[in-house]
Every structure is written in structure tokens, then in C-alpha cells.
Amino acid sequence: MVFAFLFSTPYFLFALKPEIISTLIIVFLLIFPLLGIIVLLLPYDPASKKIALSATPTLRYDERDIMFSRRRLKPGSERFETYYCNHPQKKKIDDAWRRKPGLLNPKARFYHPLYFSAAEASFDTVEYFHPHVRPNPSAEKKVIEPTVATAFIKDWLTRSGAHSVGVTLLRDYHFYSHRGRQEPYGAEIYREHEFAIVFTVEMNKTMVDFAPKSPTILESADQYLRAGMLAVKLTQFIGRLGYEARAHIDGNYQVVCPLVARDAGLGELGRMGLLMTPELGPRVRIGVVTTDLPLATDRYQPDRSVIDFCRKCKKCAESCPAKAIPYEDRQYDAVGLRWKINHEACFSYWCTVGTDCARCIKVCPYSHPDNIMHGLVRTLIKRNVVARYLALKMDDVLYGRSNRGKNS
């Protein structure tokens, strides 16, 4: 409202006292806004053309190395001793966060009896789905045109609460190399299916805006539950058609969800290491179902504008309480060209506050509500490098650089 008042003042002055404004100023007042609109609407984006795309990963993640797997290791057990014998450099780091209260612990900084109990209830319910992630298919296979099956599944999932749905061919790098959270622990993971159906579910903006306090982990848990329910329901449907299917849900994954979602055309990977969707940014949770049901695949469409915006923005890095998000540009490693997150620092902060933080999701300019105004901004920054600079500055003015807000 302040900007609207300031920029409209000269026009009101002209209407009230036309004699006080020269012809030159009148011409400027008429032409300058028009030129500004034209500049922003033009598809002008030389910066994005220079941005390199991530190479195909040559290394698969070992699930035993991720923080959620290391969290399950019980001190004194044979599995514990074997892991740290093979990875001695991780022992000191992990001992430090093990001394902290931990996720959803009553002694954690942001403990709330209602929110924490409700979040645990949702996570517990997800575990009820674990025995049902791979149903036995019917003996008779129903032959369905791939495009028809794909269209039906996308429509069904969307009506059931999914925000976006995509399909991709599975690649070896989509999978973890070895099991870390499910038995048999350490077993090698193989690609069994040809296709992956990937979908996102929206996290409520109001709840995310409490990050890193307790309402956020409740919202996170609820959306993991919703994604799990949709994934298991989809596998039951595919099984009834006579085809193999496996749901990949919280605590029981064999795939790296953001990589599969990116290749299914659902978004790009941003600075915080999460999937950046076109309408909701990182404010989503992901569900995956792998299957041998023939499907029509979508295509990964690289969005260099997202990479360019993340390079300029750095809000998530500045706002991260754990300083786990890098400030520097993407780096090459065996997993590709990416921003490498310090997962140990991130998880250590979680163990202090008792929640899964989500500050990075909260402050991301792409996380704003999917309404007409923000939709227009997203369209402009996708096409125009000048619009990206202006959008970032305006976001700083309207929402603040750190965007801590009243709930932080």
C-alpha cells in the first residue's frame, strides 16, 4: 500500500494541479511505467542460458549413511560398532547430537504436548502402512493403454489430494545402494520396476510459517501421512490390475524422492537441496510408487531460472539456524552438480529443538501462496532476469530478509 501511494502521488498531483507539472514530466509519467511493463514482460533471460545443468549422477546414496538411519543405531549393538568402525569420522559428530534431547522429545526446546503428540500419532500411523507397501498383484493382468492408465492415475491422485503428479522411467541413480532403515539392514537395493509415479502434497502455509516451532512438525507429519496413504492406495489399485507396485513412504524408502520427482518433471532442485515446485516451491512432501504397469512418461524440463534465482537469493542460507545450507555456488561431485547440504548440522539442530525446523521452506520466496499475485511474479521471474532481481528486492521489503515473523 505504501508503494502504491508513493508511485501514484505524481498522477494525483497532475489531476489536481496540472499547471505545476511540465510537459516533460507528463511524458515521463506516461512512458516510464509502460517501458517498465514491457521490460518485465519480455522473455529476456541471458543469465539462465549460461547455467550448467547437473550431470547424471555416477554414485548412489547409501541409505545407511543418512541421518535417519544413523539415528536408529543403538549404542553397544553389533550394528552400531560395525558402522562406526567403517566410518570413524562420523562417530564424534553423531555422539554430539545423541547427547541432545532428540526429535519430538519432551526435553526439546520447542516441546508442546499437543503438537508433539499429534505429530507422533501421524508418524506412528505411517508405520502401519509399512507392511502394505508391496501388495500381491492379481493373477490376471488387465491390458490398458499406457496413456489412458496415466491420465486416470493423475486425475485420481489429484482429486484425492495430490498437488502435482508426474511419471518417469526409473534409473539406477534414483535408488539407494543399500538399505538403512528397513530389514534386512545393509541389503543391496536393485531396480525392479520400470516406471515411477511421483506426486506432491501441499504443506499448509500457515503451519509452515511457525517454523521452527512445533506446529511445523505436525504439518510435516500430517503430509507424510497423506503421501503415505495415497501411495499405498495407488499400489493396491495397481495390484488389482495385475501389476507389481511398491509404495515408497516415510521410513520405508528405496528411492531418493527429490531426484525421481525432478526427472518426472515436477520441479528443480534448489539451494536447500529440496524439490522446488513451480507453484509451491519447496512447501511440499513427496510420494513415490514404482511399478511395472506400462505408463506414459513425462519429461524433465530443466528450469534454469530457479537455479539463477537461488544463486541470487540465499535467503535460506542466511536464515538457517544450523548454518547447514551453503552460500557458495553449486559444486560438482559424484552425485552431480549441486548445492551440498550439511546434513549433520541440520539434524543436530533438529535434535536440539525437537522439530524438523523448516525455516528454509518458510523463508523461500517460492513458498508464498499460489494466488494470482504470486503466480504472476513466478511467471515473470521464470522468463525475465530483471524480474528476478526486482522480485527478490520486493520480497526483502515486504517479508524481510530473514523473514522471522511473529511466530519464530
Side-chain angles (χ1 to χ4, degrees):
M1 291 176 64
V2 171
F3 274 103
F5 175 77
L6 292 176
F7 285 116
S8 61
T9 298
Y11 299 94
F12 283 115
L13 289 176
F14 173 65
L16 295 173
K17 296 282 187 178
E19 66 276 4
I20 68 173
I21 300 180
S22 68
T23 304
L24 184 61
I25 295 178
I26 294 173
V27 172
F28 175 81
L29 291 175
L30 294 175
I31 294 178
F32 181 73
L34 182 61
L35 289 176
I37 292 172
I38 292 174
V39 168
L40 293 177
L41 291 178
L42 286 175
Y44 176 68
D45 195 8
S48 291
K49 296 178 181 178
K50 301 176 182 178
I51 294 176
L53 297 178
S54 179
T56 300
T58 58
L59 177 71
R60 291 164 63 187
Y61 290 101
D62 188 332
E63 193 187 22
R64 291 172 294 184
D65 292 332
I66 71 172
M67 300 309 299
F68 299 108
S69 298
R70 287 149 65 178
R71 176 194 183 198
R72 297 187 180 204
L73 295 173
K74 295 181 179 179
S77 67
E78 181 181 352
R79 190 173 290 179
F80 182 96
E81 299 299 333
T82 300
Y83 182 82
Y84 290 110
C85 180
N86 295 328
H87 304 85
Q89 74 281 6
K90 293 180 168 48
K91 181 69 165 56
K92 184 177 180 180
I93 297 172
D94 291 2
D95 284 345
W97 58 256
R98 280 195 176 93
R99 289 192 291 267
K100 297 181 178 182
L103 275 172
L104 295 171
N105 189 293
K107 296 181 180 179
R109 182 187 305 170
F110 294 138
Y111 171 70
H112 188 289
L114 297 179
Y115 285 109
F116 273 35
S117 296
E120 285 187 296
S122 290
F123 283 127
D124 289 344
T125 306
V126 175
E127 289 195 20
Y128 286 127
F129 290 137
H130 286 184
H132 308 289
V133 296
R134 189 194 294 268
N136 293 320
S138 301
E140 180 185 353
K141 284 188 176 181
K142 297 177 174 61
V143 180
I144 303 174
E145 176 66 31
T147 55
V148 174
T150 303
F152 179 87
I153 288 171
K154 287 184 175 182
D155 176 68
W156 189 37
L157 285 175
T158 302
R159 286 188 292 104
S160 298
H163 181 266
S164 59
V165 187
V167 178
T168 184
L169 288 172
L170 283 165
R171 310 295 183 191
D172 286 340
Y173 66 80
H174 289 149
F175 292 85
Y176 288 112
S177 63
H178 296 81
R179 287 176 180 262
R181 285 185 277 182
Q182 295 293 319
E183 300 298 334
Y185 177 84
E188 192 169 353
I189 296 174
Y190 299 96
R191 175 161 54 98
E192 301 178 75
H193 300 138
E194 185 177 359
F195 300 96
I197 303 161
V198 196
F199 60 89
T200 63
V201 292
E202 179 179 0
M203 294 180 69
N204 180 273
K205 181 67 168 62
T206 301
M207 297 290 276
V208 170
D209 280 347
F210 280 92
K213 291 187 177 179
S214 52
T216 302
I217 196 168
L218 173 57
E219 178 63 15
S220 181
D222 283 348
Q223 298 316 319
Y224 276 124
L225 175 57
R226 175 178 293 195
M229 180 273 292
L230 292 178
V232 170
K233 182 174 80 166
L234 181 57
T235 61
Q236 294 290 330
F237 164 72
I238 294 174
R240 289 179 178 276
L241 296 178
Y243 295 89
E244 294 277 350
R246 189 197 193 281
H248 301 262
I249 63 178
D250 182 60
N252 196 346
Y253 296 107
Q254 288 189 0
V255 298
V256 183
C257 291
L259 289 177
V260 188
R262 180 198 64 180
D263 290 353
L266 298 189
E268 189 59 82
L269 300 184
R271 180 180 291 274
M272 65 186 75
L274 301 178
L275 181 75
M276 306 284 286
T277 62
E279 293 86 13
L280 302 175
R283 192 166 49 84
V284 296
R285 290 291 182 238
I286 306 171
V288 178
V289 170
T290 56
T291 181
D292 61 358
L293 171 68
L295 297 167
T297 59
D298 298 291
R299 185 168 57 90
Y300 166 45
Q301 300 178 352
D303 193 343
R304 290 180 171 88
S305 68
V306 171
I307 303 298
D308 188 46
F309 192 91
C310 284
R311 290 170 70 179
K312 294 176 171 62
C313 178
K314 302 181 182 179
K315 263 191 176 183
C316 59
E318 292 180 11
S319 300
C320 178
K323 303 303 178 187
I325 302 173
Y327 283 87
E328 63 272 9
D329 205 352
R330 296 175 299 164
Q331 304 292 325
Y332 278 104
D333 62 12
V335 183
L337 178 61
R338 61 174 180 147
W339 282 290
K340 190 173 182 179
I341 309 302
N342 186 337
H343 296 284
E344 286 89 354
C346 181
F347 190 75
S348 179
Y349 181 75
W350 292 13
C351 290
T352 300
V353 299
T355 74
D356 54 358
C357 186
R359 283 276 298 151
C360 54
I361 299 176
K362 172 187 175 181
V363 303
C364 179
Y366 282 100
S367 289
H368 293 313
D370 184 24
N371 53 32
I372 294 176
M373 182 185 74
H374 291 119
L376 175 61
V377 173
R378 291 186 183 101
T379 300
L380 292 176
I381 64 178
K382 186 178 178 67
R383 295 161 43 93
N384 191 289
V385 67
V386 178
R388 285 200 282 279
Y389 278 108
L390 291 177
L392 183 55
K393 296 301 180 184
M394 288 298 296
D395 198 83
D396 290 347
V397 170
L398 296 175
Y399 301 101
R401 185 61 196 169
S402 65
N403 195 7
R404 291 190 177 274
K406 63 181 180 181
N407 297 322
S408 296

